[in-house]
Amino acid sequence: MPELFGHLPRPRILIHGFTQDEEIVEHIKKIAPTVRLIDSDDIYNIRQKEWDAVVTKGGTLSLRSHLNIFQIGGDHVGTMKTSSASVSVNADWTTKATHFVLPDDCPSEVRSLSRNDLLPMVQKFSPNEHWSFRSARGGIDTNRDRYPAVTPFLTDADDKVLAGKISGETSEIWWLPNVGCSLTSWVSAAFQSWSMLYPDRFPLTEEWKRREPWLSPEEREIRDRLQKVETDLSEAIAKLANEKARLSVELEEKAAEVDSTVRKLLTTQGDELVDQVEQSLRELGFLVTNADKEISTPGDRREDLRVSDPDLPEWTAIAEVRGYARGAQLNDLLRLGRFTTRYLRETGREPSSTWYIVNQEMAKDPDIRQAPLASNKDEVETFAESGGLVIDTKGIFRTLMMKREGSLSASEARSHIRKSSGYFQVQKNSR
């Protein structure tokens, strides 16, 4: 036999037309293990076969025939089948009667409720709705005697049904007028009756043992502790939900901040990328000069950045920063050669290192980007022989994050970059 997953304990009750804090909802939650509040649209998103009953106010739902229904008010009571046709039962006629009858065939399980609760409420109203029966052939009458499936809870003196139930092959419909009856008592009576008729779907034959009048002091004490735990749990869940919402907003704000600053190392090009590389190197403790802004003259461009290390004052690197939607360009290494020559003429010495800093394949996830100049490894090796270093901006980002999280000091980061040549590799955590 196939194994079933996700099966919820029975009875499984849908509640329609009531709010979460109404007494009837709280009551049903106490006597049924699986309860769900729905609105009229929800019924189309539910597999009705997975539910056993519906408690509804107004009865505007399209429901399957296997469901037991407890309905308060509403013009349409239900549909029943006779030997010759289907009959629609409606509470759309009214009676001005002030004399009412508790029928002999009123079920024993509701006789007391009908006398002591339903009757006094109906007597306060005039007129009152009563049932009518419309056959598929178009005929309408109010003679319930023609329909054995109908069992009245209360009638007027003309035997018009003011409340009652319709019994089907696999389910029942209980209908009460919306006159202010004690719904908790009536729901309990319905569930108890259904537990006798359909014990597999309504295993509630001993539900009364869990109700207040029949509990021992020890049971009450444990129940109260359980309720406190449930309350504490609900409060904790609400608190965590609020904290989750707050942190989600905070995370979005921080992400926007990072997007507009250091993550530009991975997303931008041109002057915007140069500025972010400059800021990132400064955060690592390097001394940085923007050569284009501070040294170059119109028509005489220089390298983008000059970088020195306060730990080693005689050391200086020149850096060209480039960004590409596709891959890095080999011609950039030739451009750096010209900048090295210009630096030698200007200062009388060669730079300690020459850096090619590149953000490439910007449209791709950084995790799947290739190494810069991956198809030109020989040229990169030649570049490295003269102190050249190819730095993917991914490496600057990761190094900066390690510094921020404290796994790498700024001095260690500068030393590692300063001593690197060829392809820059992010230093492994030293702490």
Side-chain angles (χ1 to χ4, degrees), residues 265 273-283 286 288-290 293-294 304-305 321:
L265 289 170
L273 178 61
V274 173
D275 290 343
Q276 188 56 56
V277 169
E278 179 181 349
Q279 292 176 35
S280 299
L281 293 175
R282 289 183 186 278
E283 186 174 340
F286 285 109
V288 185
T289 300
N290 191 311
K293 294 180 180 178
E294 302 178 38
D304 289 314
L305 304 173
V321 181

Side-chain angles (χ1 to χ4, degrees), residues 14 43-44 46-52 62-67:
L14 295 171
I43 200 65
Y44 301 106
I46 290 172
R47 184 172 181 263
Q48 295 188 29
K49 286 185 178 181
E50 295 178 359
W51 297 88
D52 301 305
S62 176
L63 300 174
R64 295 289 188 90
S65 60
H66 77 281
L67 289 166

Side-chain angles (χ1 to χ4, degrees), residues 251-303:
L251 180 59
E252 288 300 316
E253 292 174 348
K254 179 57 66 174
E257 177 189 326
V258 175
D259 285 344
S260 65
T261 55
V262 66
R263 208 154 27 232
K264 285 184 177 180
L265 289 170
L266 309 173
T267 60
T268 58
Q269 59 189 157
D271 290 343
E272 198 171 11
L273 178 61
V274 173
D275 290 343
Q276 188 56 56
V277 169
E278 179 181 349
Q279 292 176 35
S280 299
L281 293 175
R282 289 183 186 278
E283 186 174 340
L284 291 173
F286 285 109
L287 304 176
V288 185
T289 300
N290 191 311
D292 278 341
K293 294 180 180 178
E294 302 178 38
I295 300 174
S296 297
T297 58
D300 182 25
R301 290 183 62 85
R302 303 292 184 91
E303 68 277 5

Side-chain angles (χ1 to χ4, degrees), residues 30 52 123 130 145 151 170 200 211 227 299 326 342:
K30 291 178 182 177
D52 301 305
Q123 287 176 320
H130 71 81
D145 287 340
T151 304
T170 58
D200 291 342
R211 295 204 299 269
Q227 289 176 346
R326 295 185 178 179
R342 290 297 305 276

Side-chain angles (χ1 to χ4, degrees), residues 10 14 42 48 52 60-61 91 109 119 136-137 162 165 167 210 221 300-301 305 314 327 351 357 420:
R10 285 177 150 166
L14 295 171
D42 288 334
Q48 295 188 29
D52 301 305
T60 57
L61 303 176
E109 62 266 28
L119 175 59
R137 299 170 183 170
L162 277 67
K165 69 176 182 177
S167 300
R210 300 293 179 265
E221 192 270 334
D300 182 25
R301 290 183 62 85
L305 304 173
E314 67 276 13
I357 301 174
S420 296

Side-chain angles (χ1 to χ4, degrees), residues 23 70 113 117-118 121 176 180-187:
E23 183 183 15
F70 183 92
L113 283 171
D117 181 57
L118 175 60
M121 301 309 297
L176 293 180
C181 291
S182 174
L183 299 184
T184 58
S185 299
W186 280 94
V187 163

